[in-house]
C-alpha cells in the first residue's frame, strides 16, 4: 500500500510512494518488515514475506504453495487434512497410513468419523448393527456368534435354548435330557419335585423321575423279592408269563440254585430247577 506515513519506523527511510506494512500502528518498509517479522516457512525454511499469504497451523507457518500433503504433495489449502507426528497429510493418505479398517465392510474409517470398538476391532457406526434386525447396537448389550453381533433379544429368538419346563431362555448352564434343554432349577422329579441335576434319574414319557418315585409309579416288581426292577439295578432281568425277576432273584424256590439260562419248572407261583421239580 502507498504510505501516508513519512518514514520507515526501523530504517527511517522515506516511505513516500513506496509499499509498506503496519505493525502495532507503526509503518515499515517491506524489506524491514520481512527481516523483522516474517515467519519462516516450515517446508522451505524461507521467510514468508508480507506480500505472500501466510498459512498457520498450531503455531507453525507455511507459504501457500508449501502447504501440501507430505506424502502425495497435493495442496491442502482449504481442504481437510490431518497431522501425525507434526507431519501434515491429506485425509486419503492419513487413512491409508493410520486409520482403522471396519471389521464388517473392511473399508477405511475416515478421520473424524465416529467409530465403534469391540473386542479390539473397529466398526463404522453404521456397520455396527445387529446381524438379524439390523438395528444399531451402539453401547447396548450384545452377544457374538460366529463373528457376527446380535442384540440380546434377537440372539435369544434365533439361538438361545428355551427350558422344556418353563419355556424361558436358558442364559447359562442348563441340563439336557432326551435332547431337551432344562434350567437346572427346573429339572425336577415329576413326582416329588426333588432337584435332579447331578442325581440319578429315570425318564418316563419324556419327564424325569427320581429312582424312588419311578419305582413307586412305574417299575415292575420282582416276583421273588417284591422290590422294583429298574435300569439302575441289575443289568439282567427275566420275564416269564407276565412275571419278572431280578437276575439274582431267579432261583429255584427249593434249593436256591440260579436258574438263569437253565431249564426250570413251575409249580403254582414257584419256579423250580429240573431236579427239584422232578422230585
Amino acid at each position: 500500500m502507498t504510505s501516508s506515513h513519512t518514514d520507515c519506523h526501523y530504517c527511517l527511510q522515506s516511505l513516500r510512494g513506496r509499499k509498506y506494512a503496519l505493525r502495532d500502528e507503526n509503518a515499515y518498509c517491506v524489506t524491514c518488515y520481512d527481516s523483522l517479522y516474517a515467519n519462516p516457512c516450515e517446508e522451505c525454511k524461507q521467510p514468508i514475506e508480507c506480500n505472500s499469504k501466510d498459512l498457520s497451523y498450531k503455531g507453525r507457518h507455511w507459504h501457500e504453495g508449501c502447504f501440501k500433503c507430505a506424502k502425495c504433495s497435493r495442496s491442502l489449502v482449504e481442504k481437510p487434512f490431518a497431522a501425525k507426528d507434526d507431519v501434515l497429510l491429506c485425509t486419503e493418505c492419513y487413512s491409508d497410513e493410520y486409520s482403522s479398517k471396519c471389521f464388517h465392510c473392511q473399508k477405511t474409517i475416515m478421520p473424524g468419523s465416529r467409530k465403534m470398538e469391540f473386542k479390539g476391532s473397529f466398526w463404522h457406526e453404521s456397520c455396527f448393527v445387529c446381524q438379524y434386525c439390523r438395528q444399531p447396537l451402539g453401547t447396548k448389550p450384545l452377544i457374538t456368534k460366529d463373528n457376527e453381533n446380535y442384540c440380546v433379544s434377537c440372539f435369544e429368538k434365533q439361538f438361545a435354548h428355551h427350558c422344556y419346563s418353563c419355556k424361558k431362555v436358558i442364559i447359562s448352564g442348563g441340563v439336557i435330557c432326551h435332547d431337551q434343554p432344562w434350567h437346572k432349577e427346573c429339572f425336577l422329579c415329576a413326582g416329588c419335585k426333588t432337584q435332579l441335576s447331578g442325581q440319578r434319574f429315570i425318564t418316563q414319557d419324556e419327564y424325569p423321575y427320581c429312582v424312588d418315585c419311578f419305582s413307586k409309579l412305574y417299575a415292575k416288581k420282582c416276583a421273588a423279592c417284591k422290590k422294583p426292577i429298574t435300569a439302575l439295578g441289575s443289568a439282567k432281568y427275566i420275564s416269564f408269563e407276565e412275571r419278572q425277576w431280578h437276575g439274582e432273584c431267579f432261583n429255584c424256590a427249593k434249593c436256591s440254585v440260579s436258574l438263569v439260562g437253565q431249564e426250570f419248572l413251575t409249580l403254582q407261583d414257584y419256579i423250580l430247577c429240573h431236579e427239584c421239580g422232578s422230585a
Side-chain angles (χ1 to χ4, degrees):
M1 59 180 65
T2 57
S3 176
S4 59
H5 293 73
T6 306
D7 302 319
C8 170
H9 183 72
Y10 185 73
C11 71
L12 304 180
Q13 294 292 320
S14 173
L15 297 176
R16 291 184 183 277
R18 300 171 62 191
K19 291 182 179 180
Y20 72 96
L22 288 174
R23 184 180 179 90
D24 300 330
E25 299 184 358
N26 295 315
Y28 296 84
C29 66
V30 172
T31 302
C32 289
Y33 183 88
D34 289 343
S35 64
L36 293 172
Y37 301 115
N39 295 304
C41 175
E42 287 287 329
E43 177 66 19
C44 69
K45 310 305 180 186
Q46 298 299 312
I48 304 173
E49 299 171 340
C50 64
N51 58 354
S52 299
K53 192 171 183 178
D54 185 333
L55 301 180
S56 64
Y57 174 71
K58 291 189 175 181
R60 296 185 295 155
H61 300 264
W62 289 261
H63 289 105
E64 186 174 14
C66 295
F67 194 63
K68 55 190 177 182
C69 173
K71 184 175 181 182
C72 70
S73 299
R74 284 184 292 183
S75 175
L76 300 177
V77 177
E78 297 183 357
K79 293 181 180 178
F81 63 90
K84 179 69 174 178
D85 300 328
D86 292 333
V87 175
L88 301 185
L89 298 167
C90 64
T91 53
E92 291 82 359
C93 290
Y94 182 89
S95 298
D96 291 341
E97 290 290 320
Y98 303 109
S99 291
S100 305
K101 301 291 185 186
C102 176
F103 185 84
H104 178 73
C105 70
Q106 295 302 307
K107 294 181 180 179
T108 299
I109 302 175
M110 299 297 288
S113 300
R114 187 175 181 187
K115 65 181 178 182
M116 310 302 295
E117 181 178 3
F118 179 65
K119 290 186 177 180
S121 297
F122 299 92
W123 282 260
H124 291 109
E125 186 177 21
S126 59
C127 291
F128 195 59
V129 298
C130 171
Q131 178 66 18
Y132 185 72
C133 69
R134 310 308 298 176
Q135 293 300 307
L137 290 170
T139 57
K140 297 176 183 177
L142 62 91
I143 300 173
T144 301
K145 179 179 174 61
D146 299 330
N147 289 329
E148 298 289 358
N149 299 319
Y150 298 84
C151 64
V152 174
S153 176
C154 287
F155 182 86
E156 291 178 351
K157 291 176 184 177
Q158 292 295 109
F159 304 109
H161 294 296
H162 290 74
C163 177
Y164 186 77
S165 176
C166 71
K167 310 306 179 186
K168 295 181 180 179
V169 172
I170 300 174
I171 302 299
S172 62
V175 176
I176 297 294
C177 178
H178 289 299
D179 296 326
Q180 298 292 349
W182 306 63
H183 289 113
K184 287 184 179 180
E185 58 271 21
C186 293
F187 193 60
L188 307 176
C189 172
C192 66
K193 306 304 179 183
T194 300
Q195 192 169 93
L196 295 176
S197 178
Q199 307 298 320
R200 295 191 302 175
F201 64 90
I202 304 171
T203 58
Q204 177 71 24
D205 299 327
E206 297 186 356
Y207 287 95
Y209 292 84
C210 66
V211 176
D212 289 342
C213 286
F214 182 85
S215 298
K216 292 175 184 177
L217 295 172
Y218 298 107
K220 297 181 181 300
K221 301 296 190 295
C222 176
C225 70
K226 309 306 180 185
K227 293 180 180 180
I229 300 173
T230 71
L232 297 175
S234 172
K236 293 182 179 180
Y237 73 94
I238 292 85
S239 179
F240 177 72
E241 292 183 349
E242 299 184 354
R243 291 187 292 165
Q244 289 80 30
W245 291 261
H246 292 109
E248 61 271 22
C249 294
F250 194 61
N251 302 322
C252 174
K254 186 173 183 180
C255 70
S256 300
V257 67
S258 175
L259 297 178
V260 177
Q262 306 297 319
E263 292 183 353
F264 62 90
L265 301 173
T266 61
L267 180 63
Q268 297 178 351
D269 290 335
Y270 299 102
I271 55 172
L272 302 168
C273 65
H274 192 271
E275 292 182 5
C276 292
S278 299

